[in-house]
């Protein structure tokens, strides 16, 4: 009996050690690492000025909207191919992000995936000063072509709330008017966009929206803009420069600016008039661009194309996970090039001297 009792002690010690190791493993991998993964930590002060500096609110976006793509059972759609398709355009970036062109996606398949998720899409549009004249056409064409059949909430920022037109909206779609002050310089209006987008996400959208698109009001929809455009960080290639060498891109070239992109650097030139993605990603973009814009202002620097310059700097460092072709923001004064099979969204023809407080 005494011998048996002595043999039991080492076994007990071993079991206790294994129990403690198991508890540590559970705590470290399932608690600590999960917290690290789903929260963005603060960036150290030595961060590049194009890197996000602030923690994203923990509940900005659920994590299941991007990675789990489930189709309805027995859905019928055309068989995909990896050897047939468009050969006149490039449909993937060097970092393997899709470039969306007509003929590179199946709208039936994509819509069936995202309708099950019951996603909510926010849209920001700024109609300040005389730009209010473009709002009616923007809203009416959006009802026909922008995420038709999905929940869409349009946020109109304007200094003329009484002039916001009444537009019949389909079920699940709504409009909110956000009053903002007027300005004597269109550059100031442009500069405040990132700040207002950031605050909108923090104060309102984080509880009930999944994606956000930030679009120019002096534009109109012509054909489908839908689920094919969804992604983490979504950029639109500028129609005026996509055929040019990057040496001709109108990046901010002064090294003292936080929007600086040196010669020989950069990927594409992206539009400031259309961008979006998951709330988390757009929050980081808006927050960083706002911070860099304010730092430039302290040094009496105004980037060449205001927030568009800062956006291009940000997206050179922080690559977009989906890139939309120039179909998604064409220019109405330009003839359509052969590779542009359809125009989905375009900037309307206007006289800037008539609509801007200063030119």
């Amino acid at each position: 009996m005494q011998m048996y009792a002595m043999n039991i002690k080492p076994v007990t010690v071993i079991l206790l050690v294994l129990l403690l190791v198991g508890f540590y493993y559970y705590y470290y991998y399932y608690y600590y690492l999960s917290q690290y993964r789903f929260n963005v930590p603060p960036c150290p002060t030595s961060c590049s000025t194009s890197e996000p500096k602030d923690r994203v609110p923990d509940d900005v976006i659920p994590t299941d909207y991007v990675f789990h793509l489930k189709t309805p059972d027995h859905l019928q759609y055309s068989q995909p191919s990896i050897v047939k398709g468009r050969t006149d355009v490039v449909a993937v970036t060097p970092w393997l992000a899709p470039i969306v062109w007509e003929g590179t996606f199946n709208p039936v398949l994509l819509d069936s995936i995202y309708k099950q998720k019951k996603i909510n899409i926010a849209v920001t549009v700024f109609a300040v000063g005389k730009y209010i004249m473009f709002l009616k056409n923007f809203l009416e064409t959006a009802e026909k072509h922008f995420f038709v059949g999905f929940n869409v909430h349009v946020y109109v920022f304007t200094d003329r709330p009484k002039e916001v037109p009444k537009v019949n909206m389909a079920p699940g779609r709504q409009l909110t008017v956000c009053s903002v002050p007027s300005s004597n310089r269109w550059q100031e209006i442009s500069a405040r966009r990132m700040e207002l987008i950031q605050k909108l996400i923090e104060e309102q959208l984080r509880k009930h929206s999944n994606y956000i698109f930030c679009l120019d009001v002096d534009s109109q929809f012509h054909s489908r803009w839908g689920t094919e455009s969804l992604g983490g960080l979504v950029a639109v290639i500028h129609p005026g420069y996509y055929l040019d060498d990057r040496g001709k891109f109108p990046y901010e070239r002064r090294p003292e600016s936080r929007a600086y992109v040196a010669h020989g650097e950069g990927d594409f030139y992206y539009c400031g008039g259309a961008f979006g993605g998951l709330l988390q990603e757009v929050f980081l973009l808006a927050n960083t661009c706002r911070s860099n814009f304010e730092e430039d202002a302290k040094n009496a620097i105004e980037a060449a194309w205001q927030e568009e310059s800062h956006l291009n700097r940000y997206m050179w460092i922080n690559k977009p996970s989906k890139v939309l072709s120039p179909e998604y923001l064409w220019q109405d004064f330009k003839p359509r090039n052969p590779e542009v099979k359809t125009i989905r969204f375009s900037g309307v023809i206007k006289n800037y001297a008539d609509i801007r407080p200063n030119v």
Side-chain angles (χ1 to χ4, degrees):
M1 292 294 293
Q2 185 177 2
M3 190 105 155
Y4 177 78
M6 290 179 64
N7 289 338
I8 225 78
K9 288 182 179 179
V11 174
T12 304
V13 171
I14 291 171
L15 289 174
L16 286 172
V17 169
L18 289 174
L19 185 63
L20 288 172
V21 169
F23 176 78
Y24 174 79
Y25 177 88
Y26 175 85
Y27 176 82
Y28 184 78
Y29 282 94
Y30 288 89
Y31 178 75
Y32 177 75
L33 286 184
S34 66
Q35 294 241 339
Y36 178 80
R37 178 179 177 181
F38 293 115
N39 291 325
V40 178
C43 186
T45 55
S46 60
C47 255
S48 163
T49 55
S50 289
E51 294 299 324
K53 297 181 179 61
D54 290 340
R55 180 186 296 273
V56 178
D58 295 342
D59 57 351
V60 159
I61 187 68
T63 58
D64 64 331
Y65 281 92
V66 181
F67 306 109
H68 191 64
L69 304 179
K70 182 180 179 181
T71 58
D73 198 15
H74 304 301
L75 178 70
Q76 299 292 310
Y77 56 92
S78 302
Q79 178 182 346
S81 172
I82 62 170
V83 294
K84 295 179 181 179
R86 292 192 61 171
T87 58
D88 57 334
V89 293
V90 175
V92 66
T93 69
W95 58 93
L96 299 181
I99 304 176
V100 182
W101 295 87
E102 175 69 11
T104 63
F105 62 91
N106 187 315
V108 173
L109 174 58
L110 285 169
D111 286 353
S112 70
I113 291 171
Y114 284 98
K115 280 186 177 178
Q116 295 179 103
K117 295 175 178 287
K118 297 180 177 166
I119 58 174
N120 294 301
I121 301 150
V123 179
T124 63
V125 60
F126 288 75
V128 180
K130 293 182 180 179
Y131 276 81
I132 194 76
M133 71 173 69
F134 301 110
L135 183 58
K136 188 173 190 293
N137 188 45
F138 175 93
L139 294 172
E140 288 180 342
T141 57
E143 280 299 295
K144 296 177 182 177
H145 303 294
F146 184 79
F147 281 96
V148 175
F150 288 85
N151 296 324
V152 175
H153 194 151
V154 181
Y155 293 84
V156 176
F157 292 85
T158 183
D159 57 343
R160 302 182 181 186
K162 293 182 180 179
E163 297 180 37
V164 173
K166 292 184 179 180
V167 174
N168 291 328
M169 305 185 83
R173 301 168 76 93
Q174 58 183 311
L175 183 148
T176 296
V177 177
C178 306
S179 294
V180 294
S182 302
S183 177
N184 293 325
R185 298 181 71 244
W186 67 266
Q187 293 91 339
E188 293 174 359
I189 299 168
S190 174
R192 289 205 62 210
R193 283 185 13 165
M194 292 299 185
E195 175 188 354
L196 293 169
I197 291 167
Q198 175 195 338
K199 288 183 177 179
L200 180 69
I201 294 174
E202 281 185 308
E203 297 172 4
Q204 296 189 49
L205 301 186
R206 57 192 290 188
K207 297 298 184 183
H208 51 75
S209 293
N210 312 113
Y211 296 90
I212 181 172
F213 286 92
C214 309
L215 307 175
D216 274 357
V217 69
D218 53 339
S219 308
Q220 60 184 336
F221 295 88
H222 302 275
S223 60
R224 173 194 168 94
W225 179 323
T227 51
E228 74 281 355
S229 67
L230 296 176
L233 180 61
V234 180
V236 179
I237 294 179
H238 198 292
Y241 302 98
Y242 75 99
L243 297 175
D244 292 340
D245 181 88
R246 61 185 173 187
K248 297 181 180 178
F249 295 168
Y251 291 140
E252 172 54 58
R253 298 300 190 182
R254 292 170 293 177
E256 57 268 29
S257 172
R258 298 299 178 95
Y260 172 62
V261 178
H263 287 282
E265 296 179 345
D267 300 308
F268 307 107
Y269 190 76
Y270 301 114
C271 295
F275 60 92
L278 286 169
L279 290 191
Q280 181 186 41
E281 292 290 343
V282 178
F283 175 89
L284 291 174
L285 179 150
N287 186 48
T288 305
C289 289
R290 173 195 177 183
S291 175
N292 290 340
F293 199 102
E294 290 172 351
E295 287 299 312
D296 270 5
K298 291 177 183 177
N299 297 312
I301 299 172
E302 185 172 85
W305 289 101
Q306 294 78 43
E307 91 278 9
E308 185 172 87
S309 296
H310 288 280
L311 177 143
N312 271 276
R313 163 70 188 188
Y314 182 90
M315 288 188 172
W316 172 58
I317 302 296
N318 306 276
K319 307 296 190 192
S321 59
K322 182 167 286 187
V323 176
L324 305 183
S325 70
E327 298 170 0
Y328 289 83
L329 189 48
W330 196 247
Q331 295 165 316
D332 282 353
F333 64 82
K334 289 170 62 73
R336 181 160 57 88
N337 293 339
E339 66 275 6
V340 180
K341 304 299 183 184
T342 186
I343 296 174
R344 305 179 188 280
F345 188 55
S346 69
V348 302
I349 297 172
K350 60 261 183 189
N351 183 350
Y352 286 114
D354 291 338
I355 57 177
R356 287 181 172 176
N358 65 304
V359 180

